[in-house]
Amino acid sequence: LKSVIKGLKEESPDYAVVMAPEDEALPRLVSLLREELSSTTILNCEPRTISYLSDKANLVEIAERIGIRIPLSVVVDVDDLPSIRSAIKDVGFPCIIKPRIGAGGHGCRLVRNREELWKTIDFLSSLGIMSILIQQYVEGVDASVSLTTDGNSHFLISTNAQLLEVREGWISYKGGYVPLEHESTSPSKSYAVKLVEKIQGLMGYVGIDFVLARDGAYLIEVNPRPTTSIVGIVRALPSA
């Protein structure tokens, strides 16, 4: 890292962007570069916003407050068995289990019954994950909206398809394609713009994940960073 910062200081670029998941490392790296490269504009979201959005409980609160559809979601501690049972009663099966804090879909599992539920919770607990989100499973097309913002104005780039693989319940990202044509892309774009307008500290490229269901778009996650979709977007752009 020291050699990277040294090289950037020597090059003195006008702009720079940190490419990393929004775990604990990303906000620290953004803060460090802004301190060390005073003459360079860092095109990342504010560190406090990155940390805030890595907590999925905050996203649920934002969506409910500003009127954006999100699957029914309940935050529980892995050792709070009564709350887990109550959450399952409300959410039902199948459902999605994911760590409360995290990025990139790591630790997300589709569970279809109580046996899978308890096995998943035991496994996540063994990794030191103490708080989880139990979320309603919504069937539909996995998608994302890519856009850029300077904190005031914003530019919608594209709606992208996400190809997810479910193996023994565990969910992993396997790629995607751009652009995506779907009857629910319009509401997903409207939701994306509304989120960018309401969440302070977003800057540069932002990727927002949705499930496009028959009855509309459901918010899944806000990624305050460049996402993998940017690879397809760049390839789809006409050559200069």
Side-chain angles (χ1 to χ4, degrees):
L1 181 59
K2 290 181 179 179
S3 62
V4 172
I5 292 176
K6 180 181 178 182
L8 287 171
K9 284 183 174 180
E10 292 174 352
E11 293 291 334
S12 189
D14 294 326
Y15 302 97
V17 60
V18 181
M19 306 282 282
E22 63 269 22
D23 56 16
E24 294 180 359
L26 181 56
R28 289 202 305 268
L29 289 172
V30 173
S31 295
L32 179 62
L33 288 186
R34 286 181 174 168
E35 291 173 3
E36 296 288 340
L37 304 174
S38 57
S39 62
T40 298
T41 300
I42 308 300
L43 296 175
N44 285 90
C45 299
E46 291 292 333
R48 65 178 183 277
T49 303
I50 297 170
S51 298
Y52 182 79
L53 290 173
S54 70
D55 185 338
K56 295 173 178 60
N58 291 331
L59 184 61
V60 173
E61 187 276 328
I62 292 170
E64 293 176 346
R65 174 164 47 86
I66 65 177
I68 289 179
R69 301 177 75 182
I70 190 167
L72 178 61
S73 306
V74 182
V75 175
V76 295
D77 293 334
V78 296
D79 58 357
D80 187 348
L81 302 188
S83 293
I84 293 172
R85 294 189 182 100
S86 177
I88 286 298
K89 185 177 180 180
D90 292 337
V91 174
F93 291 109
C95 63
I96 302 294
I97 306 296
K98 58 180 74 172
R100 174 177 175 173
I101 308 294
H106 299 300
C108 294
R109 193 181 192 197
L110 171 65
V111 302
R112 301 183 182 278
N113 52 56
R114 292 185 182 276
E115 181 182 0
E116 293 180 356
L117 169 70
W118 297 118
K119 285 183 177 179
T120 303
I121 290 174
D122 286 344
F123 176 73
L124 294 177
S125 178
S126 72
L127 300 179
I129 295 169
M130 302 310 296
S131 186
I132 59 173
L133 191 75
I134 299 178
Q135 189 170 69
Q136 171 194 7
Y137 171 69
V138 176
E139 187 173 357
V141 176
D142 297 299
S144 67
V145 174
S146 298
L147 67 165
T148 58
T149 179
D150 63 2
N152 295 306
S153 59
H154 47 267
F155 178 75
L156 280 165
I157 302 173
S158 66
T159 304
N160 324 296
Q162 294 185 330
L163 304 178
L164 305 183
E165 179 182 71
V166 180
R167 180 173 295 184
E168 296 182 354
W170 297 104
I171 302 170
S172 58
Y173 177 78
K174 293 299 180 181
Y177 60 86
V178 57
L180 169 65
E181 299 295 335
H182 189 279
E183 60 186 6
S184 292
T185 55
S186 180
S188 68
K189 290 177 182 178
S190 297
Y191 283 163
V193 169
K194 194 172 184 179
L195 285 160
V196 169
E197 290 175 344
K198 296 296 184 180
I199 300 174
Q200 294 184 350
L202 292 178
M203 175 69 69
Y205 181 104
V206 180
I208 304 178
D209 298 340
F210 294 92
V211 171
L212 306 183
R214 289 184 177 181
D215 60 344
Y218 288 80
L219 174 65
I220 301 299
E221 193 160 341
V222 176
N223 302 291
R225 57 179 172 83
T227 60
T228 308
S229 296
I230 198 171
V231 177
I233 292 169
V234 169
R235 291 182 178 179
L237 291 173
S239 58

